[in-house]
Each structure stands twice: as structure tokens, then as C-alpha cells.
């Protein structure tokens, strides 16, 4: 492919790449409405229900680094098409699962296949879009696809369950995967690292074990609080991660070139991604519950109202795209984080009787700020790495986002729960339990306590986002506006 501006074929190819990303992120949330129907049909135990929900995310996060490096070796388009085949087949199997064990297994297979799709799509964008302005736009659209998938997952799930059986939530993946398999070979370029050595199986196993242990521990801490098992899981995961990093530093054919972390643009972008997703996922956990349990909306209604934030997000992304080649990335990233901090400041003003527009304004500002930031940092991480390591760099970007989201759920969830219990020491342990009692006085007190927890966490995240804006500007201010300017510098 001649290096230059992308044409119509590349943009159509981008649409083909964004579609599986939308579905992969949608599969994280599409089961929110389906779980009661699955429980009635398959009758899983409480533990099996948790595994049905969590095994997809565990497999996805644990294998991103491995699959990114594998794509660099065997070909990114080839891995993408293999993953699409596996994702479609696992979707059919999941839709017709006849037992909880089969559904857990097929959800795990979906996570494995999803891990092949995400780094392949982002690294292929680098191979397709050589012009910096076009590449930034393409990555912004890719990032928007991921966010849109997570947003519309509950809506699509609710609609399908109103008209079909629970397996339909999985079958919607199949047509998109078939389209990718038919069109992909014609529109997507192949790229592999011609100098790649042997695949580092030991490193792959270590990265899988480390990421799984850390994310499992963080999720358990978010649900159960401080306990020996999740703390031990996090510690073991960190130790395995240290062994993995040491092996990558000394190995002949590492999965990840750890020297990348000595590049200020790369390491700074990774930190920004982790902390931004920490703030985003943690706050979304509270605002969705606020809509349902404080304002009394049905889940499907709350999911529909969440779409009201999209115009603000689209405007923010459009402005960022226009300015990306005129303004230094440090200024734009810091601006996105200031928008994020301002949105959290709006959420600090919520009360149980606040108007709907206030929470929607805050939630929309959070989404806009995060997408402005992460679309730019994803481009930084992708272009800071050599072209032959773009798959591994993409995987690091996505793994950082997964870890940041898990930390947000754990830490901010714990803070909110602590405030709730301090305000309502003798009441039900959650707002949902209080609502189920039907006691109006208790429900009102529980809503006050929950909202207090939300505003405290919003205050924390506003401060974190503000500090992150300063860090981002200082870490990235050396990066020029354009690649031409970089040569001149």
C-alpha cells in the first residue's frame, strides 16, 4: 500500500473494522437484561450466574496482549478473520446453550475470540491510514464504536428480549461476523512483522495469569470488600506481572517491547488511559443506578435516556478531530480531562430530587471528556510503537483500559459503599435492597445515602481528573502538532 491519504476503500474498510468492535463491547453489557431469562431457563446457581457474566471479560482482558503479539507474527488480517469465525460460531453455541456450564464455556470462547478482534482492528487502522489527520479521525471513530457498543448493549438486549428468547442477544453477532469474513479479505490489508521471532509461550501464559489474577482480585474486592482471597489474587498477579516484565526485558522475541515504556509519549498515554477509564467506569456505575433506583426509571427507560448524552459526545469528538492537526496533543488531552473534571463537578450537585437534565448533562460531559482523551492517547500509543509492533501496542492500550475500569469499579465502588453504610448504618446493605422493602421512609433515607456516596465519589474523580490534566500536559507537551513539525524539531 502506498503511503499517502486514504481513499474510499480504506474508509469502507474502517466501517467493517468498527462493526466487530461495537459488538465486542456490546457483549459485555448485552446480558444485563437477559440474565433473569437465562436464570429461569437454565437455573444456574449463584456462582454460575457470576461466571456467566464475568468469564467473557476475564478472557477478553487476559488474552489481549497475547493476541496482539500473535497478530504481529501470523498476520493481523488473518488473526482478525480467524477471530471473526470463532466469534460467530461461539455466538451460535451460546444462543443455544442447554446448561449453565455450556453457557459459561461459550461465553469464555467469546472472550477469547473478542481478544483477537480488538488489537487486530486497531493495528490494522495504522496500516490503512498513514496520514496523521486521517488516522486520528479513524481512531476516534473506532473509539466511538467501542463506547457506543457499551451504551446500546442494554438497549438492544431489552428490545430483543421483548420480542424473542434470550439467545437472540447472541445471534445478533452472526451477520456482522459473516459480513467481515466476506468483505474483509478485499478491503483490509495484511500486515505481519517480517522479523518476528518465535512466539513467547511462557510470556503469554504469564501475562494471562497476571492479568486474570489482578482483575479477578479487583472485582472481588469491589463486591466483597477487603478479604484474604482477593487481596492474595492481586498480590500474586502483581508478582507474576513483575516476572513477565523481567522476561520481556531479557527475552529474544518478547510479546511486548518494554523499551516502549521509556518513550514519554507512550508511557504518558498509558497512564492517562488507565486513570481516565478509572474515572469513567467508576462514575458510570453510580449514574446508571441513580437513574434506576433514585429517579425510579425502569432499566430499559434508563438505557434509552442514556442516549441523550450522544449529541454532546459527537460535538466534542468532532471539535477534537478538527483541532487535532492545529493544536498540540498535550493541550487537547488536557482539555478533554478538564471537560471530564467539570462534568464530575456537575455530578457533585445531585440530590435525590434533582431534575433529569442535570444527571444527563454530567454523564454526557463524562463521556465526551473520556472519548476526547482516549481517542488521542490511543493514537499516541499506536504511533509511538514501530509498525511491526503495532498489534502488541494496541493490546497494551486496551489492557490498560480494562485495568483502569476494574480499578474504578473497585475503589470508587468501595468509597460509595462506605459513605452509604456510614449514613445508613442499620439499614439494608444496598439501595436495591432498600427499594425492595417498600418502606417509603427507608427508601427515602437510602436514596439520600446513595446520592451522598455518588457526590463524594464525583468529588474524588473531579480532583483526580484535574490532576491528570496537569500530568498529561507535562508528559505530552514535547509532542509536536504534526509529523512534519516533528522532523523539523
Amino acid at each position: 500500500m502506498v503511503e499517502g491519504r486514504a481513499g474510499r476503500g480504506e474508509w469502507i474498510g474502517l466501517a467493517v473494522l468498527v462493526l466487530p468492535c461495537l459488538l465486542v463491547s456490546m457483549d459485555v453489557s448485552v446480558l444485563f437484561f437477559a440474565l433473569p431469562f437465562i436464570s429461569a431457563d437454565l437455573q444456574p446457581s449463584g456462582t454460575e450466574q457470576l461466571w456467566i457474566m464475568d468469564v467473557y471479560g476475564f478472557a477478553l482482558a487476559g488474552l489481549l496482549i497475547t493476541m496482539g503479539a500473535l497478530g504481529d507474527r501470523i498476520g493481523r488480517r488473518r488473526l482478525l478473520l480467524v477471530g471473526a469465525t470463532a466469534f460467530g460460531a461461539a455466538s451460535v453455541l451460546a444462543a443455544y446453550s442447554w446448561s449453565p456450564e455450556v453457557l459459561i464455556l461459550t461465553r469464555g470462547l467469546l472472550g477469547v475470540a473478542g481478544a483477537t478482534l480488538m488489537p487486530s482492528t486497531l493495528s490494522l487502522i495504522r496500516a490503512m491510514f498513514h496520514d496523521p489527520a486521517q488516522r486520528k479521525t479513524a481512531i476516534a471513530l473506532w473509539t466511538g464504536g467501542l463506547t457506543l457498543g457499551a451504551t446500546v448493549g442494554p438497549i438492544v438486549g431489552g428490545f430483543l428480549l421483548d420480542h424473542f428468547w434470550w439467545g437472540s442477544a447472541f445471534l445478533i453477532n452472526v451477520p456482522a461476523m459473516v459480513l467481515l469474513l466476506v468483505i474483509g479479505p478485499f478491503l483490509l490489508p495484511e500486515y505481519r512483522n517480517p522479523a518476528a521471532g518465535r512466539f513467547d509461550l511462557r510470556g503469554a501464559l504469564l501475562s494471562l495469569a497476571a492479568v486474570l489474577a489482578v482483575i479477578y482480585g479487583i472485582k472481588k474486592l469491589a463486591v466483597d470488600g477487603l478479604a484474604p482471597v482477593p487481596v492474595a489474587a492481586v498480590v500474586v498477579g502483581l508478582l507474576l506481572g513483575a516476572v513477565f516484565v523481567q522476561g520481556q526485558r531479557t527475552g529474544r522475541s518478547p510479546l511486548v517491547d518494554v523499551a516502549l515504556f521509556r518513550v514519554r509519549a507512550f508511557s504518558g498515554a498509558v497512564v492517562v488511559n488507565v486513570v481516565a477509564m478509572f474515572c469513567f467506569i467508576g462514575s458510570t456505575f453510580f449514574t446508571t443506578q441513580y437513574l434506576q433506583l433514585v429517579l425510579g426509571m425502569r432499566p430499559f427507560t434508563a438505557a434509552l435516556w442514556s442516549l441523550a448524552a450522544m449529541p454532546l459526545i459527537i460535538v466534542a469528538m468532532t471539535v477534537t478531530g478538527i483541532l487535532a492537526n492545529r493544536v498540540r496533543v498535550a493541550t487537547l488531552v488536557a482539555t478533554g480531562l478538564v471537560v471530564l473534571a467539570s462534568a464530575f463537578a456537575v455530578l457533585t450537585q445531585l440530590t435525590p430530587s434533582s431534575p433529569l437534565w442535570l444527571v444527563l448533562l454530567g454523564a454526557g460531559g463524562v463521556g465526551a471528556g473520556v472519548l476526547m482523551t482516549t481517542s488521542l492517547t490511543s493514537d499516541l500509543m499506536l504511533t509511538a510503537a514501530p509498525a511491526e509492533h503495532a498489534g502488541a501496542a494496541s493490546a497494551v492500550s486496551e489492557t490498560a483500559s480494562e485495568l483502569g475500569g476494574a480499578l474504578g469499579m473497585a475503589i470508587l465502588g468501595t468509597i460509595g459503599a462506605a459513605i452509604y453504610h456510614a449514613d445508613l448504618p442499620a439499614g439494608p446493605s444496598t439501595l436495591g435492597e432498600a427499594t425492595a422493602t417498600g418502606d417509603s421512609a427507608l427508601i427515602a433515607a437510602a436514596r439520600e445515602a446513595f446520592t451522598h456516596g455518588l457526590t463524594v465519589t464525583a468529588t474524588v474523580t473531579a480532583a483526580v481528573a484535574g490532576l491528570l490534566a496537569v500530568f498529561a500536559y507535562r508528559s505530552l507537551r514535547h509532542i509536536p502538532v504534526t509529523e512534519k513539525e516533528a522532523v523539523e524539531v
Side-chain angles (χ1 to χ4, degrees):
M1 180 180 292
V2 178
E3 295 199 7
R5 291 184 61 81
R8 180 181 300 176
E10 284 79 13
W11 289 108
I12 297 174
L14 175 66
V16 174
L17 289 176
V18 169
L19 187 58
C21 288
L22 186 148
L23 291 171
V24 168
S25 61
M26 188 188 302
D27 257 38
V28 176
S29 57
V30 75
L31 284 192
F32 288 170
F33 290 153
L35 191 59
F37 297 90
I38 292 171
S39 298
D41 188 13
L42 302 183
Q43 298 183 343
S45 65
T47 301
E48 287 171 335
Q49 283 190 32
L50 290 175
W51 276 108
I52 288 171
M53 294 298 294
D54 290 341
V55 69
Y56 176 82
F58 285 159
L60 181 67
L63 288 169
L64 282 170
I65 291 176
T66 296
M67 294 304 182
L70 184 62
D72 288 340
R73 285 163 170 76
I74 70 170
R76 295 165 190 163
R77 186 181 68 186
R78 177 184 297 177
L79 183 64
L80 177 66
L81 298 179
V82 170
T85 303
F87 201 84
S91 297
V92 174
L93 291 173
Y96 293 98
S97 295
W98 58 88
S99 71
E101 294 82 5
V102 173
L103 184 55
I104 291 169
L105 175 62
T106 53
R107 284 278 289 171
L109 292 174
L110 280 168
V112 173
T116 70
L117 298 174
M118 294 177 68
S120 297
T121 54
L122 185 54
S123 57
L124 280 171
I125 287 175
R126 173 159 184 182
M128 295 164 62
F129 295 90
H130 300 283
D131 179 76
Q134 290 186 319
R135 187 180 59 245
K136 287 184 175 69
T137 301
I139 291 176
L141 292 171
W142 180 88
T143 306
L146 288 175
T147 304
L148 182 62
T151 302
V152 304
I155 299 172
V156 172
F159 174 81
L160 291 173
L161 291 165
D162 278 346
H163 298 84
F164 308 101
W165 98 112
W166 59 264
S168 61
F170 295 104
L171 291 182
I172 58 171
N173 298 327
V174 177
M177 296 302 125
V178 171
L179 180 66
L180 176 57
L181 290 170
V182 172
I183 299 179
F186 300 99
L187 292 177
L188 304 177
E190 183 58 286
Y191 186 92
R192 58 184 297 180
N193 180 4
R198 295 178 59 188
F199 183 73
D200 182 8
L201 180 59
R202 177 178 177 272
L205 294 175
L206 279 171
S207 71
L208 173 63
V211 173
L212 284 181
V214 170
I215 290 184
Y216 170 79
I218 290 172
K219 283 180 172 285
K220 291 294 287 182
L221 286 170
V223 175
D224 302 333
L226 284 176
V229 172
V231 170
V234 172
V235 171
V236 169
L238 292 175
L239 291 174
L240 290 172
V243 175
F244 169 75
V245 170
Q246 181 60 29
Q248 298 304 290
R249 292 177 59 187
T250 58
R252 293 184 177 180
S253 302
L255 297 178
V256 178
D257 182 3
V258 294
L260 281 173
F261 288 91
R262 292 197 289 270
V263 178
R264 287 171 59 196
F266 187 86
S267 57
V270 169
V271 171
V272 171
N273 253 29
V274 170
V275 181
M277 292 306 295
F278 166 90
C279 296
F280 176 64
I281 298 298
S283 70
T284 302
F285 171 74
F286 284 98
T287 53
T288 53
Q289 289 192 78
Y290 180 88
L291 289 174
Q292 295 178 44
L293 298 177
V294 177
L295 298 188
M297 292 184 181
R298 295 178 59 188
F300 187 55
T301 304
L304 287 174
W305 271 111
S306 67
L307 291 179
M310 293 307 296
L312 182 59
I313 292 172
I314 291 170
V315 169
M317 294 294 290
T318 302
V319 172
T320 301
I322 293 171
L323 295 178
N325 295 290
R326 298 178 175 88
V327 179
R328 285 181 179 261
V329 69
T331 302
L332 288 178
V333 171
T335 300
L337 292 169
V338 170
V339 171
L340 183 61
S342 302
F344 287 130
V346 170
L347 294 177
T348 64
Q349 304 306 303
L350 289 177
T351 68
S353 58
S354 291
L356 176 61
W357 66 264
L358 188 63
V359 65
L360 294 178
L361 176 63
V366 168
V370 166
L371 283 178
M372 287 172 65
T373 301
T374 55
S375 63
L376 294 167
T377 53
S378 294
D379 179 63
L380 284 176
M381 283 183 273
L382 193 61
T383 53
E388 60 270 19
H389 294 300
S394 304
V396 170
S397 168
E398 290 146 19
T399 303
S401 297
E402 292 285 338
L403 288 172
L407 284 168
M409 285 286 289
I411 295 174
L412 297 177
T414 299
I415 292 173
I419 299 297
Y420 175 87
H421 290 302
D423 288 359
L424 203 67
S429 59
T430 66
L431 177 55
E433 291 178 9
T435 303
T437 65
D439 184 332
S440 57
L442 178 61
I443 292 172
R447 286 174 172 171
E448 286 281 358
F450 176 85
T451 306
H452 185 201
L454 185 157
T455 56
V456 169
T457 58
T459 302
V460 171
T461 48
V464 170
L467 292 173
L468 185 62
V470 176
F471 168 84
Y473 184 80
R474 291 177 63 87
S475 299
L476 306 176
R477 61 185 175 181
H478 67 286
I479 301 173
V481 177
T482 65
E483 292 183 2
K484 179 180 178 182
E485 183 183 342
V487 174
E488 295 171 352
V489 171

